[in-house]
Amino acid sequence: MRSQVSLAFLNTGQGFIVALGLVIVMAMAANGVVNGNMTIGDFVLVNAFLIQLYMPLNLLGMVYREVKQSLADMEKMFSLIDRDVEVEDAPDAPALRFDGGNLRFEDVQFGYDVRRAVLAGISFDVPAGRTVAVVGSSGGGKSTLTRLLFRFFDVGAGRITIDGQDIRTVTQKSLRRHLGVVPQDVVLFNDTLEHNIRYGDLTADDAALNRAIDQAQLRDLIGNLPDGLATMVGERGLKLSGGEKQRVAIARMMLKDPGIMIFDEATSALDTATEREIQRALRDVSKGRTTLMIAHRLSTVVEADEIIVLDQGRIAERGSHASLLARNGLYTAMWQRQQAEREEEELDVAQDPGVVPDALAS
Ligand SMILES: Nc1ncnc2c1ncn2[C@@H]1O[C@H](COP(=O)(O)OP(=O)(O)OP(=O)(O)O)[C@@H](O)[C@H]1O
Ligand SMILES: [Mg+2]
């Protein structure tokens, strides 16, 4: 606005000076003609001179605005450049040597704020090719585990290793190349559906794209959209439903085909039937691949090799589904609660199909 105001002043002032000068000079020239010491031709010549002089003056306003705008842009750029990078690669860091993908958390402690620990010493192992599930109450630090793994933050104490290499010692680029995530809050670019899926691997061919679309159960959706794959998804993907966004994220990750897969509530927004289909597809692709699965709905993780129950930043219980049930602890309580809820829902629907179940109505 300041730039616009000053430009308006400049233009007005310039116009005023130009007009005033023109009047005075033309008056002088006219006077000369009247007195007889100038001819009509001289009068026209003076006018022509003046016009040639003013032309470049008019450009001045435009140049002024350009310079102002560029200065503003440069300021923005420098403030961006000056921003500190929170997590930096170690000098001369080598690339990650990926070998099967043995993932290890060793006594990891972390807090976003020094005054409050989110993870208070977490140790677990995901052997290459195995699936480990993490469950626990909301805010327990499950998503934080994935952020640490991607090195969006560095651990406060302890370490995270992949195939024996501390992830802080390798480059972030090589680390992230081997990791694929379906995040809890999917972010899409305001671009076409196709570009958003291809973002997983920009060099993928059409066959791979189609495979990913099928695995993520996106075929029907694309068939129903008037523009198909060319549909614009809107800012952050706001024109897609929550479940559709999740499926785009799943397709994106399948296309990337990473060595280690992380699912953070990957199917939480889907209906039971679609969820079952996708869970089957996920099981297929995660076979033989290191997988970290975070879920609230316990029924989606019963087949994991190990289930870890996080509570208050610590591992409260761990083991297979059956052994956890046998312990009769936190996990059992969560499981029974969810089973009861599900039965109630099914009962409600069965008894009175006209009534919307609570879960849907709220
Ligand atoms: N960027 C952040 N800055 C500060 N605090 C954060 C940040 N992200 C998360 N937290 C806090 O850390 C805690 C753990 O968050 P996290 O996202 O890991 O929970 P979660 O176990 O994934 O929960 P949910 O099941 O609801 O997804 C929360 O109490 C949250 O308030
Ligand atoms: Mg989370």
Side-chain angles (χ1 to χ4, degrees):
M1 271 177 73
R2 272 211 302 270
S3 164
Q4 285 296 322
V5 169
S6 60
L7 184 70
F9 272 112
L10 182 85
N11 278 339
T12 319
Q14 197 182 318
F16 181 72
I17 294 169
V18 166
L20 195 71
L22 194 68
V23 168
I24 292 172
V25 173
M26 291 325 282
M28 283 164 70
N31 200 32
V33 174
V34 169
N35 291 342
N37 48 15
M38 276 177 106
T39 64
I40 294 285
D42 290 333
F43 181 84
V44 174
L45 187 69
V46 167
N47 195 13
F49 278 159
L50 276 179
I51 288 172
Q52 283 195 24
L53 202 66
Y54 290 154
M55 286 283 221
L57 265 183
N58 273 335
L59 265 179
L60 202 67
M62 217 174 68
V63 171
Y64 173 80
R65 193 173 53 194
E66 289 285 307
V67 170
K68 270 282 202 197
Q69 183 66 52
S70 308
L71 280 177
D73 289 349
M74 263 162 68
E75 227 166 86
K76 236 187 243 167
M77 186 185 74
F78 282 122
S79 72
L80 253 181
I81 289 176
D82 285 345
R83 270 285 262 280
D84 286 334
V85 181
E86 281 173 45
V87 177
E88 279 187 272
D89 283 343
D92 310 320
L96 175 73
R97 272 173 291 106
F98 189 83
D99 178 26
N102 188 340
L103 179 64
R104 235 183 127 89
F105 282 70
E106 295 175 16
D107 193 29
V108 170
Q109 299 176 22
F110 177 76
Y112 294 97
D113 188 313
V114 285
R115 288 166 298 181
R116 176 179 170 229
V118 173
L119 299 177
I122 302 279
S123 302
F124 67 90
D125 222 327
V126 192
R130 293 309 181 88
T131 299
V132 167
V134 180
V135 301
S137 52
S138 175
K142 302 182 298 297
S143 301
T144 304
L145 290 176
T146 71
R147 288 183 209 131
L148 291 176
L149 188 53
F150 270 84
R151 273 197 86 201
F152 294 140
F153 301 92
D154 268 336
V155 292
R159 61 184 205 144
I160 303 173
T161 63
I162 293 177
D163 294 327
Q165 304 149 72
D166 189 329
I167 58 170
R168 280 172 299 185
T169 62
V170 299
T171 60
Q172 293 172 51
K173 198 172 169 196
S174 66
L175 169 70
R176 289 173 190 165
R177 197 164 45 230
H178 294 290
L179 300 176
V181 64
V182 179
Q184 195 168 19
D185 43 348
V186 181
V187 176
L188 300 183
F189 297 112
N190 188 9
D191 204 306
T192 61
L193 202 54
E194 177 171 358
H195 176 79
N196 272 296
I197 299 174
R198 277 189 189 275
Y199 181 66
D201 177 6
L202 294 170
T203 60
D205 55 17
D206 286 350
L209 178 73
N210 282 322
R211 204 165 43 241
I213 288 173
D214 284 332
Q215 282 172 328
Q217 308 284 325
L218 274 172
R219 187 62 68 197
D220 287 349
L221 168 72
I222 292 168
N224 283 334
L225 289 171
D227 292 328
L229 268 174
T231 308
M232 298 293 286
V233 299
E235 199 61 51
R236 289 175 81 94
L238 65 89
K239 290 187 194 164
L240 296 182
S241 77
E244 287 163 356
K245 268 195 286 197
Q246 276 191 334
R247 281 180 282 161
V248 171
I250 289 170
R252 186 188 265 182
M253 197 211 58
M254 297 213 167
L255 198 63
K256 182 173 180 183
D257 204 18
I260 297 178
M261 302 204 290
I262 301 147
F263 302 109
D264 193 352
E265 301 279 349
T267 53
S268 58
L270 299 175
D271 59 275
T272 336
T274 317
E275 176 169 35
R276 214 165 287 158
E277 295 271 318
I278 290 198
Q279 285 289 347
R280 193 175 321 132
L282 293 185
R283 256 198 301 282
D284 283 347
V285 290
S286 65
K287 209 166 274 165
R289 236 183 282 220
T290 312
T291 309
L292 188 64
M293 207 171 225
I294 295 168
H296 272 139
R297 217 172 311 173
L298 300 181
S299 56
T300 56
V301 300
V302 290
E303 286 177 31
D305 296 301
E306 188 180 21
I307 299 172
I308 288 169
V309 185
L310 271 195
D311 186 42
Q312 318 257 355
R314 292 179 192 283
I315 296 180
E317 294 172 12
R318 63 198 299 170
S320 67
H321 174 69
S323 72
L324 281 173
L325 277 188
R327 275 181 67 135
N328 219 351
L330 262 180
Y331 184 84
T332 314
M334 278 161 67
W335 175 258
Q336 281 166 351
R337 207 158 45 232
Q338 291 190 5
Q339 287 305 97
E341 271 166 24
R342 187 193 283 184
E343 272 161 27
E344 216 168 274
E345 250 169 53
E346 277 166 10
L347 216 65
D348 275 353
V349 178
Q351 277 175 348
D352 188 355
V355 172
V356 183
D358 280 355
L360 285 178
S362 55

PDB file of all heavy atoms in Angstrom, residues 112 116 118 137-144 147 153 184 265 296, ligand 1:
ATOM      1  N   TYR A 112       8.923 -31.716  22.400  1.00  0.00           N
ATOM      2  CA  TYR A 112       8.913 -30.526  21.537  1.00  0.00           C
ATOM      3  C   TYR A 112       9.355 -29.318  22.353  1.00  0.00           C
ATOM      4  O   TYR A 112       9.911 -28.376  21.838  1.00  0.00           O
ATOM      5  CB  TYR A 112       7.517 -30.286  20.968  1.00  0.00           C
ATOM      6  CG  TYR A 112       7.072 -31.376  20.022  1.00  0.00           C
ATOM      7  CD1 TYR A 112       6.262 -32.412  20.457  1.00  0.00           C
ATOM      8  CD2 TYR A 112       7.478 -31.359  18.694  1.00  0.00           C
ATOM      9  CE1 TYR A 112       5.863 -33.411  19.594  1.00  0.00           C
ATOM     10  CE2 TYR A 112       7.081 -32.349  17.828  1.00  0.00           C
ATOM     11  CZ  TYR A 112       6.273 -33.375  18.286  1.00  0.00           C
ATOM     12  OH  TYR A 112       5.886 -34.364  17.435  1.00  0.00           O
ATOM     13  N   ARG A 116       8.423 -30.363  28.706  1.00  0.00           N
ATOM     14  CA  ARG A 116       7.478 -31.472  28.693  1.00  0.00           C
ATOM     15  C   ARG A 116       7.985 -32.583  27.778  1.00  0.00           C
ATOM     16  O   ARG A 116       8.153 -32.373  26.582  1.00  0.00           O
ATOM     17  CB  ARG A 116       6.127 -30.975  28.185  1.00  0.00           C
ATOM     18  CG  ARG A 116       5.111 -32.073  28.055  1.00  0.00           C
ATOM     19  CD  ARG A 116       3.777 -31.531  27.573  1.00  0.00           C
ATOM     20  NE  ARG A 116       2.909 -32.639  27.227  1.00  0.00           N
ATOM     21  CZ  ARG A 116       2.239 -32.715  26.086  1.00  0.00           C
ATOM     22  NH1 ARG A 116       2.339 -31.760  25.186  1.00  0.00           N
ATOM     23  NH2 ARG A 116       1.470 -33.745  25.834  1.00  0.00           N
ATOM     24  N   VAL A 118       7.660 -35.809  25.618  1.00  0.00           N
ATOM     25  CA  VAL A 118       6.603 -36.542  24.919  1.00  0.00           C
ATOM     26  C   VAL A 118       6.965 -38.028  24.879  1.00  0.00           C
ATOM     27  O   VAL A 118       6.126 -38.894  25.118  1.00  0.00           O
ATOM     28  CB  VAL A 118       6.403 -35.975  23.497  1.00  0.00           C
ATOM     29  CG1 VAL A 118       5.425 -36.836  22.716  1.00  0.00           C
ATOM     30  CG2 VAL A 118       5.885 -34.551  23.569  1.00  0.00           C
ATOM     31  N   SER A 137      -3.183 -44.122  23.537  1.00  0.00           N
ATOM     32  CA  SER A 137      -4.158 -43.036  23.606  1.00  0.00           C
ATOM     33  C   SER A 137      -3.715 -41.862  22.742  1.00  0.00           C
ATOM     34  O   SER A 137      -2.536 -41.730  22.399  1.00  0.00           O
ATOM     35  CB  SER A 137      -4.331 -42.590  25.049  1.00  0.00           C
ATOM     36  OG  SER A 137      -3.065 -42.310  25.583  1.00  0.00           O
ATOM     37  N   SER A 138      -4.656 -41.004  22.411  1.00  0.00           N
ATOM     38  CA  SER A 138      -4.372 -39.828  21.595  1.00  0.00           C
ATOM     39  C   SER A 138      -3.414 -38.902  22.338  1.00  0.00           C
ATOM     40  O   SER A 138      -3.553 -38.687  23.537  1.00  0.00           O
ATOM     41  CB  SER A 138      -5.693 -39.115  21.307  1.00  0.00           C
ATOM     42  OG  SER A 138      -5.444 -37.937  20.632  1.00  0.00           O
ATOM     43  N   GLY A 139      -2.435 -38.393  21.609  1.00  0.00           N
ATOM     44  CA  GLY A 139      -1.451 -37.514  22.243  1.00  0.00           C
ATOM     45  C   GLY A 139      -0.356 -38.276  22.952  1.00  0.00           C
ATOM     46  O   GLY A 139       0.468 -37.689  23.652  1.00  0.00           O
ATOM     47  N   GLY A 140      -0.302 -39.566  22.752  1.00  0.00           N
ATOM     48  CA  GLY A 140       0.698 -40.378  23.435  1.00  0.00           C
ATOM     49  C   GLY A 140       2.074 -40.323  22.808  1.00  0.00           C
ATOM     50  O   GLY A 140       3.039 -40.812  23.383  1.00  0.00           O
ATOM     51  N   GLY A 141       2.180 -39.746  21.619  1.00  0.00           N
ATOM     52  CA  GLY A 141       3.486 -39.618  20.984  1.00  0.00           C
ATOM     53  C   GLY A 141       3.711 -40.574  19.828  1.00  0.00           C
ATOM     54  O   GLY A 141       4.844 -40.767  19.391  1.00  0.00           O
ATOM     55  N   LYS A 142       2.628 -41.121  19.292  1.00  0.00           N
ATOM     56  CA  LYS A 142       2.780 -42.092  18.193  1.00  0.00           C
ATOM     57  C   LYS A 142       3.261 -41.408  16.921  1.00  0.00           C
ATOM     58  O   LYS A 142       4.228 -41.830  16.283  1.00  0.00           O
ATOM     59  CB  LYS A 142       1.450 -42.822  17.948  1.00  0.00           C
ATOM     60  CG  LYS A 142       0.936 -43.532  19.179  1.00  0.00           C
ATOM     61  CD  LYS A 142      -0.345 -44.281  18.940  1.00  0.00           C
ATOM     62  CE  LYS A 142      -1.524 -43.403  18.515  1.00  0.00           C
ATOM     63  NZ  LYS A 142      -1.932 -42.407  19.529  1.00  0.00           N
ATOM     64  N   SER A 143       2.573 -40.326  16.526  1.00  0.00           N
ATOM     65  CA  SER A 143       3.001 -39.617  15.310  1.00  0.00           C
ATOM     66  C   SER A 143       4.386 -39.022  15.489  1.00  0.00           C
ATOM     67  O   SER A 143       5.145 -38.881  14.537  1.00  0.00           O
ATOM     68  CB  SER A 143       2.011 -38.515  14.954  1.00  0.00           C
ATOM     69  OG  SER A 143       0.734 -39.068  14.755  1.00  0.00           O
ATOM     70  N   THR A 144       4.722 -38.677  16.733  1.00  0.00           N
ATOM     71  CA  THR A 144       6.044 -38.126  17.008  1.00  0.00           C
ATOM     72  C   THR A 144       7.132 -39.124  16.603  1.00  0.00           C
ATOM     73  O   THR A 144       8.178 -38.732  16.085  1.00  0.00           O
ATOM     74  CB  THR A 144       6.157 -37.779  18.499  1.00  0.00           C
ATOM     75  OG1 THR A 144       5.088 -36.893  18.829  1.00  0.00           O
ATOM     76  CG2 THR A 144       7.465 -37.112  18.822  1.00  0.00           C
ATOM     77  N   ARG A 147       7.773 -38.656  12.999  1.00  0.00           N
ATOM     78  CA  ARG A 147       8.472 -37.397  12.697  1.00  0.00           C
ATOM     79  C   ARG A 147       9.947 -37.518  13.031  1.00  0.00           C
ATOM     80  O   ARG A 147      10.791 -36.970  12.334  1.00  0.00           O
ATOM     81  CB  ARG A 147       7.853 -36.246  13.476  1.00  0.00           C
ATOM     82  CG  ARG A 147       6.485 -35.885  12.928  1.00  0.00           C
ATOM     83  CD  ARG A 147       5.887 -34.699  13.645  1.00  0.00           C
ATOM     84  NE  ARG A 147       4.442 -34.839  13.588  1.00  0.00           N
ATOM     85  CZ  ARG A 147       3.632 -34.716  14.622  1.00  0.00           C
ATOM     86  NH1 ARG A 147       4.108 -34.423  15.811  1.00  0.00           N
ATOM     87  NH2 ARG A 147       2.345 -34.881  14.464  1.00  0.00           N
ATOM     88  N   PHE A 153      12.634 -33.724  13.355  1.00  0.00           N
ATOM     89  CA  PHE A 153      13.239 -33.303  14.613  1.00  0.00           C
ATOM     90  C   PHE A 153      14.324 -34.314  14.939  1.00  0.00           C
ATOM     91  O   PHE A 153      14.249 -35.449  14.485  1.00  0.00           O
ATOM     92  CB  PHE A 153      12.201 -33.297  15.744  1.00  0.00           C
ATOM     93  CG  PHE A 153      11.021 -32.403  15.501  1.00  0.00           C
ATOM     94  CD1 PHE A 153       9.876 -32.892  14.897  1.00  0.00           C
ATOM     95  CD2 PHE A 153      11.059 -31.073  15.878  1.00  0.00           C
ATOM     96  CE1 PHE A 153       8.783 -32.079  14.671  1.00  0.00           C
ATOM     97  CE2 PHE A 153       9.971 -30.255  15.663  1.00  0.00           C
ATOM     98  CZ  PHE A 153       8.835 -30.746  15.050  1.00  0.00           C
ATOM     99  N   GLN A 184      -0.999 -38.958   9.045  1.00  0.00           N
ATOM    100  CA  GLN A 184      -2.310 -38.809   9.671  1.00  0.00           C
ATOM    101  C   GLN A 184      -3.099 -37.671   9.024  1.00  0.00           C
ATOM    102  O   GLN A 184      -4.282 -37.798   8.772  1.00  0.00           O
ATOM    103  CB  GLN A 184      -2.094 -38.517  11.152  1.00  0.00           C
ATOM    104  CG  GLN A 184      -3.315 -38.676  11.996  1.00  0.00           C
ATOM    105  CD  GLN A 184      -2.967 -38.656  13.473  1.00  0.00           C
ATOM    106  OE1 GLN A 184      -1.908 -38.187  13.871  1.00  0.00           O
ATOM    107  NE2 GLN A 184      -3.841 -39.165  14.288  1.00  0.00           N
ATOM    108  N   GLU A 265      -2.366 -44.010  11.063  1.00  0.00           N
ATOM    109  CA  GLU A 265      -3.834 -43.956  10.937  1.00  0.00           C
ATOM    110  C   GLU A 265      -4.233 -43.923   9.467  1.00  0.00           C
ATOM    111  O   GLU A 265      -5.074 -43.118   9.067  1.00  0.00           O
ATOM    112  CB  GLU A 265      -4.378 -42.699  11.626  1.00  0.00           C
ATOM    113  CG  GLU A 265      -4.053 -42.604  13.084  1.00  0.00           C
ATOM    114  CD  GLU A 265      -4.983 -43.438  13.934  1.00  0.00           C
ATOM    115  OE1 GLU A 265      -5.999 -43.916  13.405  1.00  0.00           O
ATOM    116  OE2 GLU A 265      -4.688 -43.643  15.110  1.00  0.00           O
ATOM    117  N   HIS A 296      -5.601 -46.589  15.736  1.00  0.00           N
ATOM    118  CA  HIS A 296      -6.507 -46.548  16.880  1.00  0.00           C
ATOM    119  C   HIS A 296      -7.394 -47.775  16.878  1.00  0.00           C
ATOM    120  O   HIS A 296      -7.661 -48.366  17.890  1.00  0.00           O
ATOM    121  CB  HIS A 296      -7.389 -45.293  16.821  1.00  0.00           C
ATOM    122  CG  HIS A 296      -6.751 -44.119  17.467  1.00  0.00           C
ATOM    123  ND1 HIS A 296      -6.806 -42.866  16.943  1.00  0.00           N
ATOM    124  CD2 HIS A 296      -6.021 -44.011  18.591  1.00  0.00           C
ATOM    125  CE1 HIS A 296      -6.144 -42.042  17.724  1.00  0.00           C
ATOM    126  NE2 HIS A 296      -5.656 -42.712  18.721  1.00  0.00           N
TER     127      HIS A 296
HETATM  128  N1  LIG B   1       4.891 -29.630  16.537  1.00  0.00           N
HETATM  129  C1  LIG B   1       4.581 -29.770  17.834  1.00  0.00           C
HETATM  130  N2  LIG B   1       4.941 -28.820  18.735  1.00  0.00           N
HETATM  131  C2  LIG B   1       4.641 -28.963  20.045  1.00  0.00           C
HETATM  132  N3  LIG B   1       3.974 -29.998  20.569  1.00  0.00           N
HETATM  133  C3  LIG B   1       3.572 -30.968  19.733  1.00  0.00           C
HETATM  134  C4  LIG B   1       3.848 -30.901  18.319  1.00  0.00           C
HETATM  135  N4  LIG B   1       3.334 -31.994  17.748  1.00  0.00           N
HETATM  136  C5  LIG B   1       2.772 -32.700  18.733  1.00  0.00           C
HETATM  137  N5  LIG B   1       2.911 -32.111  19.923  1.00  0.00           N
HETATM  138  C6  LIG B   1       2.463 -32.645  21.219  1.00  0.00           C
HETATM  139  O1  LIG B   1       3.101 -33.874  21.434  1.00  0.00           O
HETATM  140  C7  LIG B   1       2.213 -34.845  21.948  1.00  0.00           C
HETATM  141  C8  LIG B   1       2.288 -36.111  21.103  1.00  0.00           C
HETATM  142  O2  LIG B   1       1.779 -35.817  19.820  1.00  0.00           O
HETATM  143  P1  LIG B   1       1.603 -36.922  18.713  1.00  0.00           P
HETATM  144  O3  LIG B   1       1.174 -36.257  17.482  1.00  0.00           O
HETATM  145  O4  LIG B   1       2.817 -37.759  18.643  1.00  0.00           O
HETATM  146  O5  LIG B   1       0.404 -37.773  19.331  1.00  0.00           O
HETATM  147  P2  LIG B   1      -0.256 -39.110  18.742  1.00  0.00           P
HETATM  148  O6  LIG B   1       0.090 -40.222  19.682  1.00  0.00           O
HETATM  149  O7  LIG B   1       0.077 -39.294  17.323  1.00  0.00           O
HETATM  150  O8  LIG B   1      -1.785 -38.774  18.914  1.00  0.00           O
HETATM  151  P3  LIG B   1      -3.020 -39.144  17.956  1.00  0.00           P
HETATM  152  O9  LIG B   1      -3.391 -40.537  18.272  1.00  0.00           O
HETATM  153  O10 LIG B   1      -4.087 -38.196  18.399  1.00  0.00           O
HETATM  154  O11 LIG B   1      -2.586 -38.922  16.563  1.00  0.00           O
HETATM  155  C9  LIG B   1       0.852 -34.188  21.980  1.00  0.00           C
HETATM  156  O12 LIG B   1       0.524 -33.932  23.323  1.00  0.00           O
HETATM  157  C10 LIG B   1       0.977 -32.909  21.206  1.00  0.00           C
HETATM  158  O13 LIG B   1       0.270 -31.893  21.832  1.00  0.00           O
END
